[in-house]
Amino acid sequence: MRIYNFSAGPSMLPLPVLEQAAREMTDYNGSGMSVMEMSHRTPIYEAIIAQTEADFRKLLGVPDNYKVLFLQGGATTQFSAVPLNLMKTGKADYIVSGSFSGKAAKEAEKYGKVTVLATSKADNFTYVPYVDTFSPDADYVHICYNNTIYGTTFHYVPQTGDIPLVADMSSYIMSQPVNVEDFGVIYAGAQKNMAPAGLTVVIVREDLLGNARPETPVMLDWKIQADNGSMYNTPPAYTIYVAGLVYKWLLALGGLDEMKKINERKAKLLYDYLDQSKLFKPTAKKENRSLMNVCFVTGDPDLDKKFCSEAAANGLVNVKGHRSVGGMRASIYNAMPEEGVKALVEFMDSFERNNIK
Ligand SMILES: *Cc1c(COP(=O)(O)O)cnc(C)c1O
């Protein structure tokens, strides 16, 4: 039996994708072997990665002057790769809107001068700061587009002019269309909204390649990865294949415009309920509310705990907030069906009636 899994990542995958992967598990396309068992340097695997990249590009409308890289190491490895590849003069601007962007800034400090332009830390990251002034000599500006832990999203694209804008989109990518040209680099761990863990996708504008600092580990050098078609060494071959199935599922659904409508409907169900609830309070500022991660509290940690365990007993699992913030977080990525969100809202409503004083 499938249950509704609200985990922030790794998270639910679309059922048809899991079923197809299961059907092809021991014999992919008449090859007599699993994709797990294939050499990545064979025509059959090369066709898989090429199709996965083509579908990824189609979904996001990635322009021809951008490379798409399929790497390992998670988004966290890119916290290091970004400064190593882009800090030409050793200066970068960061907007710190949550713990991942804080970690990214901290990592970049190892390589150069980091200016934190703004942070919402003093307000528990309940909003995303608005920034329209940047250091004129910055090599890049880094943001985290959707703050997975705090349930907030950028409601604007910082206008950095000629300075490349770099965005961590781990929990945002594929949830709705993105104008890739607004960014110099976009990166995302796959385990939130695209695939199992083990794959990190990097989209990088070609003119930003080739400036890696000399000490850059070969695996983190985007130019070397781009020149080798993400196969400088063994890529996360099976995860790329599953990502490819997810992209086919999205295309069949009607692409990201359609996905956005579904995601808006799902988030609205939950936020509309929260806005009238007398027990639960949403924690993110309204204009920054995430469509993907919905955070809320009762204000009483014991009651939060009771809610999480009763929800789990009712087939609604992993609604506990991140260990650093507490409360609840329902991650409702692409693969969470609308029925799952409806079931959660119905359960919250009955829990409220049973527990309101
Ligand atoms: C999950 C997450 C990360 C960390 O990803 P790893 O793949 O575990 O390194 C970084 N940034 C964001 C926005 C995330 O959601």
Side-chain angles (χ1 to χ4, degrees):
M1 189 196 80
R2 297 278 295 166
I3 56 175
Y4 295 122
N5 174 10
F6 294 88
S7 168
S11 43
M12 286 185 84
L13 285 164
L15 185 58
V17 165
L18 295 174
E19 287 171 341
Q20 186 175 346
R23 279 196 305 276
E24 296 175 342
M25 180 56 74
T26 58
D27 179 5
Y28 174 77
N29 207 8
S31 66
M33 62 176 89
S34 172
V35 176
M36 286 186 195
E37 302 170 301
M38 271 175 200
S39 162
H40 53 292
R41 304 202 191 274
T42 52
I44 192 166
Y45 189 77
E46 278 164 9
I48 292 174
I49 194 170
Q51 189 63 49
T52 300
E53 178 176 341
D55 289 340
F56 178 89
R57 286 181 171 275
K58 191 169 177 184
L59 281 163
L60 273 177
V62 179
D64 288 343
N65 63 325
Y66 284 75
K67 295 287 188 195
V68 174
L69 310 177
F70 295 116
L71 308 177
Q72 306 201 42
T76 305
T77 299
Q78 296 306 314
F79 296 170
S80 326
V82 166
L84 283 164
N85 282 277
L86 297 180
M87 262 193 183
K88 276 195 286 191
T89 72
K91 296 188 203 88
D93 283 352
Y94 278 70
I95 299 175
V96 174
S97 56
S99 54
F100 289 119
S101 44
K103 284 180 175 167
K106 195 155 175 257
E107 185 64 14
E109 278 170 7
K110 292 180 182 167
Y111 304 102
K113 182 173 174 289
V114 166
T115 303
V116 174
L117 296 174
T119 174
S120 43
K121 188 164 196 261
D123 293 289
N124 297 320
F125 296 121
T126 48
Y127 71 97
V128 170
Y130 184 81
V131 179
D132 58 5
T133 312
F134 306 92
S135 310
D137 55 353
D139 292 324
Y140 63 90
V141 176
H142 181 281
I143 61 173
C144 177
Y145 213 77
N146 184 78
N147 299 286
T148 321
I149 294 176
Y150 302 93
T152 61
T153 304
F154 269 71
H155 55 304
Y156 70 104
V157 176
Q159 299 300 306
T160 58
D162 290 338
I163 309 171
L165 180 62
V166 178
D168 177 354
M169 289 201 184
S170 295
S171 51
Y172 184 86
I173 199 158
M174 294 294 162
S175 67
Q176 55 182 286
V178 167
N179 184 22
V180 174
E181 284 186 321
D182 288 338
F183 302 87
V185 178
I186 293 170
Y187 63 92
Q191 72 273 24
K192 311 289 162 65
N193 214 12
M194 296 197 288
L199 168 67
T200 313
V201 182
V202 177
I203 309 170
V204 51
R205 213 174 59 214
E206 277 168 357
D207 63 285
L208 299 174
L209 294 170
N211 300 309
R213 296 158 64 108
E215 71 270 30
T216 305
V218 64
M219 286 299 291
L220 301 193
D221 187 325
W222 295 332
K223 170 113 177 39
I224 289 173
Q225 293 288 3
D227 289 347
N228 287 276
S230 303
M231 293 217 220
Y232 180 78
N233 74 335
T234 316
Y238 190 76
T239 307
I240 291 169
Y241 152 79
V242 179
L245 298 182
V246 169
Y247 302 153
K248 285 272 184 254
W249 175 79
L250 280 166
L251 286 167
L253 204 92
L256 299 189
D257 286 317
E258 195 54 36
M259 194 69 248
K260 179 183 187 190
K261 283 185 207 150
I262 298 169
N263 284 330
E264 283 173 343
R265 275 207 302 274
K266 287 191 293 185
K268 186 173 187 310
L269 275 173
L270 206 37
Y271 286 120
D272 280 354
Y273 166 73
L274 285 167
D275 282 338
Q276 59 76 54
S277 171
K278 295 189 172 56
L279 183 66
F280 298 103
K281 267 195 299 293
T283 53
K285 251 203 192 157
K286 234 175 195 171
E287 70 266 26
N288 291 130
R289 284 174 172 179
S290 169
L291 293 188
M292 296 285 98
N293 313 97
V294 180
C295 296
F296 53 96
V297 294
T298 63
D300 171 356
D302 289 334
L303 199 54
D304 288 352
K305 220 168 149 187
K306 184 178 176 206
F307 173 79
C308 292
S309 74
E310 287 186 15
N314 281 274
L316 307 161
V317 303
N318 292 321
V319 291
K320 192 167 170 288
H322 188 268
R323 60 189 187 279
S324 64
V325 292
M328 276 73 71
R329 170 179 55 177
S331 295
I332 50 173
Y333 297 119
N334 290 351
M336 172 60 67
E338 285 186 82
E339 299 74 53
V341 180
K342 278 184 197 146
L344 177 63
V345 170
E346 276 164 28
F347 176 74
M348 288 169 77
D349 190 43
S350 79
F351 185 89
E352 174 167 348
R353 278 185 273 107
N354 293 333
N355 288 277
I356 201 102
K357 286 166 196 100

